[in-house]
């Protein structure tokens, strides 16, 4: 009999399993997929670590988490600096002095601020919709070129028909700083996330292609306690209803050229281009293979916003009232399951960045695996 059965070989499950093992517990990890690493899974194609479930950039201000995760991988110095493409015009992101210089020709922070304030003044009353809210924050030019089309593609609706609360802030930098994340620590694990997860799970028994819910009775009998990181509603057989997600669709292509767009991420901010962005995976590791050689080919993924329906890959939890209430009902059922700990982005129906999910797993370890 195992001390712990961990359902899910993603970051949460792997960190919990590692810590349990290091405290002398016996652990079995199962995952229904044919690979470990959950949504941070990377697959090596022609020497390029492709982020199969969407681009993942590690960033954190949490020194404890950074010290923890760097035991399992060396991180490179990748800094996320996306580029926006609006009908062939290229702009720096997030909005900063390079962006303002390109849009208006302004040279100083003062000139940029004056221009933004002039344009923001267009909205006088309380913003009635997302369009008005965005203009009141950054002015019409930036809204039209860099916010409108992208947001409309993401939500599948006109900005005038979207509620203003969706955009609370649109950060504006009056500096020449293209670093998207304002994080103390940032980078990509060299050699890919899958390798990092292999290191976390080193020496732990992992059974892939094993759906816990389809083999529940049998698997439950093998362990004293269960850590479940799958969808909470699926655990309860959707008895109270289905929690909704926002989805993304990826179209990935191997190209017989060495450089497609010269940057890891390019956002397409016009409404007409059907994809929201293109990721060129090799630039997460500077276009080099493990030995530092330039890679001759490239892999790109076009990302499309898509409607989620039950059965699709769940990506982003929908943080609205309806889903929040339903989750709370499921949470009550979960709290009554003595033998099971629910964790991770699906088990807690919560958007977690990677550093947050590691932190949550470590907190769970502290609670349940006290020395
Ligand atoms: P998961 O990785 O989803 O792991 C859960 C595992 O459980 C999966 O492997 C699944 O197959 C398995 N499972 C589910 N049900 C069962 C079952 N019945 N039986 C067996 N196994 C089961 N974070 C960042 O910090 N930076 C980023 O740039 C970033 N980009 C992101 C981009 C996208 C598109 C998305 C959706 C998320 C992004 N994240 C990012 C967040 C990051 O993906 C999560 O923090 C992390 O993957 C959560 O880990 P987890 O273990 O909770 O869940």
């Amino acid at each position: 009999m195992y001390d712990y059965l961990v359902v899910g070989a993603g970051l949460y499950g792997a960190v919990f399993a590692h810590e349990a093992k290091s405290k002398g517990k016996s652990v079995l990890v199962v995952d229904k997929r044919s690979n470990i690493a959950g949504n941070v899974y990377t697959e090596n194609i022609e020497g390029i670590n492709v982020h199969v479930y969407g681009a993942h950039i590690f960033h954190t201000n949490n020194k404890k988490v950074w010290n923890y995760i760097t035991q399992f991988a060396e991180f490179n110095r990748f800094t996320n600096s996306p580029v926006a493409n609006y009908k062939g015009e290229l702009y720096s992101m997030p909005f900063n002095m390079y962006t303002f210089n390109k849009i208006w020709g302004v040279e100083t922070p003062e000139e940029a601020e004056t221009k933004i304030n002039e344009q923001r003044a267009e909205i006088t009353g309380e913003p009635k919709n997302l369009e008005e809210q965005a203009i009141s924050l950054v002015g019409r030019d930036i809204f039209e070129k860099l916010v409108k089309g992208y947001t409309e593609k993401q939500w599948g609706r006109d900005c005038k028909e979207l509620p203003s609360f969706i955009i609370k802030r649109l950060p504006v930098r009056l500096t020449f700083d293209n670093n998207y994340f304002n994080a103390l620590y940032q980078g990509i694990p060299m050699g890919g996330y899958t390798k990092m997860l292999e290191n976390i799970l080193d020496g732990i028994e992992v059974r892939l292609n094993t759906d816990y819910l389809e083999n529940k009775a049998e698997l439950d009998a093998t362990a004293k306690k269960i850590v479940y990181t799958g969808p909470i509603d699926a655990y309860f057989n959707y008895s109270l209803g289905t929690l909704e997600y926002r989805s993304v669709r990826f179209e990935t292509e191997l190209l017989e050229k060495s450089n497609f767009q010269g940057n890891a991420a390019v956002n397409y901010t016009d409404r007409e281009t059907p994809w929201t962005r293109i990721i060129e995976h090799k630039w997460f590791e500077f276009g080099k293979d493990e030995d530092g050689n330039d890679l001759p080919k490239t892999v790109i993924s076009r990302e499309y916003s898509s409607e989620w329906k039950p059965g699709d890959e769940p990506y982003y939890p929908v943080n609205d009232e309806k889903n929040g209430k339903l989750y709370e009902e499921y949470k009550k059922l979960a709290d009554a399951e003595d033998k099971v700990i629910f964790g991770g982005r699906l088990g807690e129906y919560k958007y977690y960045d990677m550093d947050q999910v590691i932190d949550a797993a470590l907190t769970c370890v502290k609670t349940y695996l006290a020395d």
Side-chain angles (χ1 to χ4, degrees), residues 46 48 255-259 282 287 293-298:
E46 300 274 344
I48 301 160
L255 302 178
E256 301 290 326
K257 56 166 80 172
S258 64
N259 192 351
K282 71 190 304 183
N293 302 312
D294 287 331
L295 290 157
K297 298 183 188 175
T298 196

Side-chain angles (χ1 to χ4, degrees), residues 218-237:
E218 189 190 319
L219 285 166
D220 281 348
T222 65
K224 292 182 198 151
K225 218 159 173 100
I226 292 148
V227 174
Y228 175 82
T229 73
I232 188 168
D233 54 353
Y235 181 93
F236 295 105
N237 206 14

Side-chain angles (χ1 to χ4, degrees), residues 7-13 30-33 35 37-40 53-59 181 210-213 228-231 248 250 315-316 343-346 351-355 357:
V7 179
L11 263 176
Y12 191 100
V30 297
D31 202 297
K32 64 178 182 181
R33 291 186 184 167
N35 54 266
N39 272 16
V40 305
Y53 296 94
H56 278 75
I57 298 140
F58 196 92
H59 57 96
F181 296 117
T210 304
D211 190 318
Y212 166 71
L213 296 174
Y228 175 82
T229 73
V248 203
F250 304 101
Y315 282 103
Y316 302 100
R345 65 179 194 102
L346 301 167
Y351 181 82
Y352 273 130
D353 271 330
M354 289 180 277
D355 61 327
V357 98

Side-chain angles (χ1 to χ4, degrees), residues 236-255:
F236 295 105
N237 206 14
Y238 307 100
S239 56
L240 305 175
T242 306
L243 289 164
E244 293 168 316
Y245 287 86
R246 265 178 52 218
S247 202
V248 203
R249 182 167 60 81
F250 304 101
E251 273 178 14
T252 297
E253 230 185 306
L254 172 68
L255 302 178

Side-chain angles (χ1 to χ4, degrees), residues 3-203:
D3 291 316
Y4 284 95
L5 167 70
V6 175
V7 179
L11 263 176
Y12 191 100
V15 166
F16 186 91
H18 180 93
E19 291 305 304
K21 179 171 179 276
S22 72
K23 290 186 185 321
K25 305 291 181 192
S26 55
V27 188
L28 169 66
V29 177
V30 297
D31 202 297
K32 64 178 182 181
R33 291 186 184 167
S34 57
N35 54 266
I36 59 161
N39 272 16
V40 305
Y41 174 62
T42 49
E43 187 178 316
N44 196 284
I45 301 177
E46 300 274 344
I48 301 160
N49 290 308
V50 174
H51 298 206
V52 176
Y53 296 94
H56 278 75
I57 298 140
F58 196 92
H59 57 96
T60 189
N61 288 317
N62 186 330
K63 192 166 186 179
K64 182 188 82 179
V65 168
W66 181 249
N67 288 342
Y68 183 80
I69 200 64
T70 49
Q71 297 175 80
F72 304 105
E74 197 176 332
F75 279 68
N76 69 19
R77 58 158 189 84
F78 181 83
T79 300
N80 191 26
S81 307
V83 167
N85 183 326
Y86 176 77
K87 300 186 177 178
E89 295 169 23
L90 301 182
Y91 294 97
S92 288
M93 299 271 282
F95 315 138
N96 65 62
M97 284 302 296
Y98 288 113
T99 327
F100 308 139
N101 173 263
K102 178 107 188 235
I103 285 196
W104 298 310
V106 293
E107 288 174 34
T108 65
E110 251 180 331
E111 286 169 0
E113 197 169 20
T114 306
K115 196 81 193 168
I116 293 169
N117 285 339
E118 261 169 41
Q119 296 214 347
R120 293 172 56 185
E122 182 190 323
I123 305 297
T124 46
E126 190 62 26
K128 287 194 284 295
N129 52 43
L130 189 146
E131 173 160 327
E132 291 190 5
Q133 170 77 352
I135 295 171
S136 76
L137 292 168
V138 291
R140 181 165 290 276
D141 289 345
I142 296 176
F143 168 72
E144 296 279 352
K145 291 192 169 184
L146 301 176
V147 179
K148 186 175 189 294
Y150 193 84
T151 310
E152 291 182 346
K153 284 189 282 193
Q154 268 191 324
W155 293 92
R157 270 196 282 161
D158 198 279
C159 282
K160 283 198 181 77
E161 290 160 22
L162 287 165
S164 56
F165 72 81
I166 292 179
I167 292 185
K168 292 193 185 80
R169 290 173 59 243
L170 278 173
V172 165
R173 289 184 189 166
L174 296 172
T175 55
F176 291 91
D177 181 5
N178 289 332
N179 181 350
Y180 188 83
F181 296 117
N182 265 325
L184 219 43
Y185 310 102
Q186 180 171 188
I188 301 285
M190 285 152 81
Y193 285 94
T194 303
K195 195 168 133 195
M196 180 173 90
L197 269 284
E198 274 166 15
N199 291 338
I200 302 177
L201 288 168
D202 188 33

